[in-house]
Protein backbone atom coordinates (compact mmCIF):
# COMPACT_ATOMS: atom_id res chain seq x y z
CA UNK A 1 0.00 0.00 0.00
CA UNK A 2 1.91 3.03 -1.30
CA UNK A 3 -0.66 5.68 -0.33
CA UNK A 4 -0.51 8.84 -2.44
CA UNK A 5 2.33 8.91 -4.96
CA UNK A 6 3.44 12.02 -6.83
CA UNK A 7 5.89 12.35 -9.71
CA UNK A 8 8.18 14.05 -10.45
CA UNK A 9 9.59 15.17 -7.11
CA UNK A 10 11.60 18.01 -8.63
CA UNK A 11 11.20 19.82 -11.95
CA UNK A 12 12.59 22.96 -13.54
CA UNK A 13 10.61 24.47 -16.39
CA UNK A 14 11.13 27.38 -18.72
CA UNK A 15 8.43 30.02 -18.97
CA UNK A 16 5.84 28.94 -21.50
CA UNK A 17 6.54 25.22 -21.28
CA UNK A 18 3.81 22.79 -20.34
CA UNK A 19 4.03 19.78 -18.09
CA UNK A 20 1.94 17.33 -16.09
CA UNK A 21 2.34 16.47 -12.44
CA UNK A 22 1.20 12.93 -11.83
CA UNK A 23 -0.72 11.75 -8.79
CA UNK A 24 -1.87 8.23 -8.02
CA UNK A 25 -3.47 6.65 -4.95
CA UNK A 26 -4.04 3.00 -4.20
CA UNK A 27 -6.52 3.39 -1.34
CA UNK A 28 -9.65 3.45 -3.51
CA UNK A 29 -10.37 6.97 -2.34
CA UNK A 30 -13.12 8.84 -4.09
CA UNK A 31 -11.89 12.33 -3.31
CA UNK A 32 -8.67 13.76 -4.66
CA UNK A 33 -7.29 17.27 -4.71
CA UNK A 34 -4.28 19.40 -5.60
CA UNK A 35 -2.82 22.12 -3.41
CA UNK A 36 0.06 24.50 -3.83
CA UNK A 37 2.19 25.53 -0.89
CA UNK A 38 3.80 28.96 -0.84
CA UNK A 39 5.70 30.67 2.00
CA UNK A 40 3.43 32.64 4.29
CA UNK A 41 0.30 31.46 2.50
CA UNK A 42 -0.11 27.91 3.67
CA UNK A 43 -1.69 25.49 1.25
CA UNK A 44 -4.25 26.65 -1.28
CA UNK A 45 -6.63 24.41 -3.17
CA UNK A 46 -6.14 24.38 -6.94
CA UNK A 47 -8.61 21.74 -8.18
CA UNK A 48 -10.45 18.85 -6.65
CA UNK A 49 -12.43 15.80 -7.71
CA UNK A 50 -15.21 13.90 -5.94
CA UNK A 51 -14.98 10.89 -8.22
CA UNK A 52 -13.98 9.61 -11.63
CA UNK A 53 -15.20 11.96 -14.34
CA UNK A 54 -15.97 14.81 -11.93
CA UNK A 55 -13.66 17.76 -11.28
CA UNK A 56 -14.11 21.29 -10.00
CA UNK A 57 -12.11 24.41 -9.30
CA UNK A 58 -10.62 25.37 -5.99
CA UNK A 59 -9.27 28.73 -4.80
CA UNK A 60 -6.48 29.20 -7.35
CA UNK A 61 -7.33 27.26 -10.54
CA UNK A 62 -6.01 29.65 -13.19
CA UNK A 63 -3.24 28.21 -15.32
CA UNK A 64 -3.98 24.61 -14.33
CA UNK A 65 -6.10 21.82 -15.78
CA UNK A 66 -7.10 18.49 -14.28
CA UNK A 67 -8.89 15.35 -15.35
CA UNK A 68 -10.06 12.24 -13.51
CA UNK A 69 -10.47 9.37 -15.93
CA UNK A 70 -9.89 6.73 -13.25
CA UNK A 71 -10.38 6.57 -9.49
CA UNK A 72 -6.65 6.10 -8.96
CA UNK A 73 -5.17 8.96 -10.99
CA UNK A 74 -5.55 12.73 -10.83
CA UNK A 75 -2.95 14.51 -12.99
CA UNK A 76 -2.39 18.28 -12.82
CA UNK A 77 -1.44 20.03 -16.06
CA UNK A 78 0.34 23.33 -16.31
CA UNK A 79 -0.66 24.71 -19.70
CA UNK A 80 1.94 27.45 -20.12
CA UNK A 81 4.22 27.71 -17.09
CA UNK A 82 4.82 31.10 -15.49
CA UNK A 83 7.29 32.08 -12.74
CA UNK A 84 4.30 32.67 -10.44
CA UNK A 85 3.68 28.93 -10.57
CA UNK A 86 6.97 28.21 -8.84
CA UNK A 87 5.76 26.36 -5.77
CA UNK A 88 5.52 23.05 -4.01
CA UNK A 89 2.53 21.03 -5.14
CA UNK A 90 0.75 18.46 -3.00
CA UNK A 91 -1.77 15.92 -4.11
CA UNK A 92 -4.21 14.58 -1.52
CA UNK A 93 -6.95 11.98 -1.29
CA UNK A 94 -9.63 10.87 1.15
CA UNK A 95 -12.57 8.53 1.58
CA UNK A 96 -16.09 9.50 0.72
CA UNK A 97 -17.93 11.74 3.12
CA UNK A 98 -20.36 8.96 3.94
CA UNK A 99 -17.78 7.05 5.94
CA UNK A 100 -16.49 7.88 9.39
CA UNK A 101 -12.94 8.19 8.10
CA UNK A 102 -12.30 11.81 7.29
CA UNK A 103 -8.52 11.84 7.17
CA UNK A 104 -7.01 13.46 4.10
CA UNK A 105 -3.76 11.84 3.01
CA UNK A 106 -1.04 13.80 1.24
CA UNK A 107 1.63 12.89 -1.25
CA UNK A 108 5.29 13.81 -0.68
CA UNK A 109 5.11 16.94 -2.80
CA UNK A 110 6.51 18.09 -6.12
CA UNK A 111 8.95 20.99 -6.14
CA UNK A 112 8.46 23.03 -9.31
CA UNK A 113 10.63 25.95 -10.40
CA UNK A 114 9.72 28.05 -13.43
CA UNK A 115 12.54 30.19 -14.80
CA UNK B 1 -16.59 32.30 3.42
CA UNK B 2 -14.55 30.12 5.67
CA UNK B 3 -11.15 31.14 6.87
CA UNK B 4 -8.40 29.84 9.13
CA UNK B 5 -6.01 32.23 10.82
CA UNK B 6 -2.71 31.33 12.40
CA UNK B 7 -1.33 34.61 13.70
CA UNK B 8 2.22 33.48 14.44
CA UNK B 9 4.61 32.67 11.59
CA UNK B 10 7.32 31.51 13.97
CA UNK B 11 7.23 30.28 17.53
CA UNK B 12 10.55 29.65 19.20
CA UNK B 13 10.73 27.94 22.61
CA UNK B 14 13.29 26.08 24.65
CA UNK B 15 13.13 22.35 25.22
CA UNK B 16 10.82 21.55 28.12
CA UNK B 17 8.83 24.77 27.80
CA UNK B 18 5.08 24.74 27.17
CA UNK B 19 3.87 25.34 23.64
CA UNK B 20 0.66 26.85 22.35
CA UNK B 21 0.10 27.30 18.62
CA UNK B 22 -2.87 29.52 17.96
CA UNK B 23 -5.60 28.87 15.43
CA UNK B 24 -8.82 30.79 14.87
CA UNK B 25 -11.46 30.02 12.31
CA UNK B 26 -14.54 31.50 10.73
CA UNK B 27 -17.24 29.14 9.50
CA UNK B 28 -20.99 29.43 9.51
CA UNK B 29 -21.75 25.75 10.03
CA UNK B 30 -20.52 23.10 12.43
CA UNK B 31 -16.74 23.07 12.00
CA UNK B 32 -14.49 20.08 11.58
CA UNK B 33 -10.93 21.05 12.45
CA UNK B 34 -7.56 19.40 12.11
CA UNK B 35 -3.90 19.99 12.88
CA UNK B 36 -1.37 18.81 10.31
CA UNK B 37 2.39 18.73 10.83
CA UNK B 38 5.10 18.90 8.21
CA UNK B 39 8.64 17.94 9.18
CA UNK B 40 11.46 19.27 7.06
CA UNK B 41 10.84 18.48 3.37
CA UNK B 42 8.31 15.75 4.15
CA UNK B 43 4.65 15.32 3.39
CA UNK B 44 1.95 16.71 5.60
CA UNK B 45 0.80 14.29 8.26
CA UNK B 46 -2.37 14.44 10.27
CA UNK B 47 -1.53 15.24 13.88
CA UNK B 48 -4.99 15.31 15.36
CA UNK B 49 -8.61 16.17 14.69
CA UNK B 50 -11.07 17.67 17.08
CA UNK B 51 -13.80 15.06 16.69
CA UNK B 52 -11.61 12.31 18.12
CA UNK B 53 -10.37 14.37 21.11
CA UNK B 54 -7.12 12.42 21.07
CA UNK B 55 -3.61 13.26 22.20
CA UNK B 56 -0.85 12.56 19.72
CA UNK B 57 2.84 12.93 20.62
CA UNK B 58 1.73 14.83 23.72
CA UNK B 59 -0.22 17.43 21.72
CA UNK B 60 -3.84 18.27 22.44
CA UNK B 61 -6.29 20.73 20.94
CA UNK B 62 -9.71 21.75 22.16
CA UNK B 63 -12.36 23.28 19.99
CA UNK B 64 -13.76 26.44 21.55
CA UNK B 65 -16.82 27.41 19.56
CA UNK B 66 -17.39 30.56 21.60
CA UNK B 67 -13.95 31.91 20.75
CA UNK B 68 -13.86 30.11 17.37
CA UNK B 69 -10.45 28.72 18.26
CA UNK B 70 -8.62 25.41 18.02
CA UNK B 71 -5.28 26.06 19.66
CA UNK B 72 -2.65 23.31 19.74
CA UNK B 73 -0.92 22.73 23.07
CA UNK B 74 1.87 20.67 24.51
CA UNK B 75 3.08 20.99 28.10
CA UNK B 76 6.75 20.17 27.47
CA UNK B 77 8.27 20.78 24.04
CA UNK B 78 10.85 18.40 22.59
CA UNK B 79 13.46 19.17 19.93
CA UNK B 80 11.83 16.65 17.59
CA UNK B 81 8.66 18.76 17.67
CA UNK B 82 10.38 21.35 15.47
CA UNK B 83 8.29 21.49 12.32
CA UNK B 84 5.68 23.45 10.42
CA UNK B 85 2.19 23.18 11.87
CA UNK B 86 -0.96 23.86 9.91
CA UNK B 87 -4.46 24.28 11.25
CA UNK B 88 -7.12 23.24 8.75
CA UNK B 89 -10.87 23.41 8.43
CA UNK B 90 -12.83 20.81 6.49
CA UNK B 91 -14.69 22.27 3.56
CA UNK B 92 -17.52 19.79 3.31
CA UNK B 93 -18.79 21.25 0.08
CA UNK B 94 -15.48 20.78 -1.69
CA UNK B 95 -14.35 17.67 0.20
CA UNK B 96 -11.10 19.49 0.79
CA UNK B 97 -9.37 21.57 3.45
CA UNK B 98 -8.93 25.26 4.04
CA UNK B 99 -5.52 25.78 5.60
CA UNK B 100 -4.08 28.49 7.75
CA UNK B 101 -0.79 30.03 6.72
CA UNK B 102 1.13 27.81 9.13
CA UNK B 103 3.33 28.32 12.18
CA UNK B 104 6.91 27.17 12.29
CA UNK B 105 7.76 25.76 15.71
CA UNK B 106 11.41 25.89 16.62
CA UNK B 107 12.41 24.05 19.79
CA UNK B 108 15.86 25.00 20.94
CA UNK B 109 18.04 22.77 23.14
Amino acid sequence: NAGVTQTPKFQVLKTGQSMTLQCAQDMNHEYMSWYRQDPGMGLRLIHYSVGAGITDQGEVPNGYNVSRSTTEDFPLRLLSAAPSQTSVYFCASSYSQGTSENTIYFGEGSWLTVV
Amino acid sequence: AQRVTQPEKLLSVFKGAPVELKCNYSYSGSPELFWYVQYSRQRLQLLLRHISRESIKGFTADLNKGETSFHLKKPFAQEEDSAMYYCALKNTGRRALTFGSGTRLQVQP
Side-chain angles (χ1 to χ4, degrees), chain B:
Chain B
Q2 61 185 63
R3 176 176 285 187
V4 177
T5 303
Q6 293 179 252
E8 303 140 327
K9 287 187 178 179
L10 172 66
L11 183 63
S12 185
V13 301
F14 287 103
K15 177 182 173 182
V19 169
E20 183 179 50
L21 301 171
K22 291 185 168 50
C23 172
N24 289 89
Y25 68 91
S26 62
Y27 186 60
S28 57
S30 185
E32 192 173 341
L33 285 146
F34 303 82
W35 276 100
Y36 277 82
V37 59
Q38 187 181 29
Y39 300 101
S40 181
R41 297 180 78 82
Q42 293 186 24
R43 73 180 75 201
L44 277 82
Q45 304 170 38
L46 177 66
L47 184 60
L48 53 82
R49 51 188 170 221
H50 90 270
I51 56 173
S52 54
R53 298 187 63 80
E54 57 206 340
S55 173
I56 305 292
K57 298 184 179 181
F59 285 98
T60 58
D62 290 318
L63 177 62
N64 185 324
K65 290 188 179 181
E67 296 183 357
T68 60
S69 68
F70 188 56
H71 303 327
L72 184 68
K73 299 177 184 178
K74 184 170 184 177
F76 308 104
Q78 303 299 314
E79 289 182 68
E80 55 265 31
D81 296 328
S82 295
M84 196 75 177
Y85 291 81
Y86 290 97
C87 183
L89 175 64
K90 187 83 176 284
N91 183 325
T92 53
R94 287 176 166 173
R95 317 300 200 262
L97 294 168
T98 298
F99 283 88
S101 54
T103 298
R104 180 167 299 284
L105 175 63
Q106 201 172 66
V107 181
Q108 299 182 53

Side-chain angles (χ1 to χ4, degrees), chain A residues 47-100:
Chain A
H47 285 284
Y48 66 100
S49 168
V50 300
I54 306 169
T55 63
D56 208 341
Q57 296 180 349
E59 302 170 63
V60 288
N62 292 341
Y64 307 94
N65 269 1
V66 291
S67 60
R68 185 93 181 270
S69 56
T70 66
T71 299
E72 294 78 20
D73 300 299
F74 191 44
L76 178 72
R77 296 184 188 84
L78 280 71
L79 308 172
S80 177
S84 61
Q85 293 178 304
T86 294
S87 188
V88 184
Y89 292 85
F90 287 95
C91 180
S93 72
S94 65
Y95 290 105
S96 69
Q97 192 182 23
T99 68
S100 59

Side-chain angles (χ1 to χ4, degrees), chain A residues 31 35 37 103-104 106 108, chain B residues 36 38 43 49 86 97:
Chain A
Y31 302 138
Y35 296 83
Q37 182 183 39
T103 300
I104 295 180
F106 286 85
E108 291 186 314
Chain B
Y36 277 82
Q38 187 181 29
R43 73 180 75 201
R49 51 188 170 221
Y86 290 97
L97 294 168

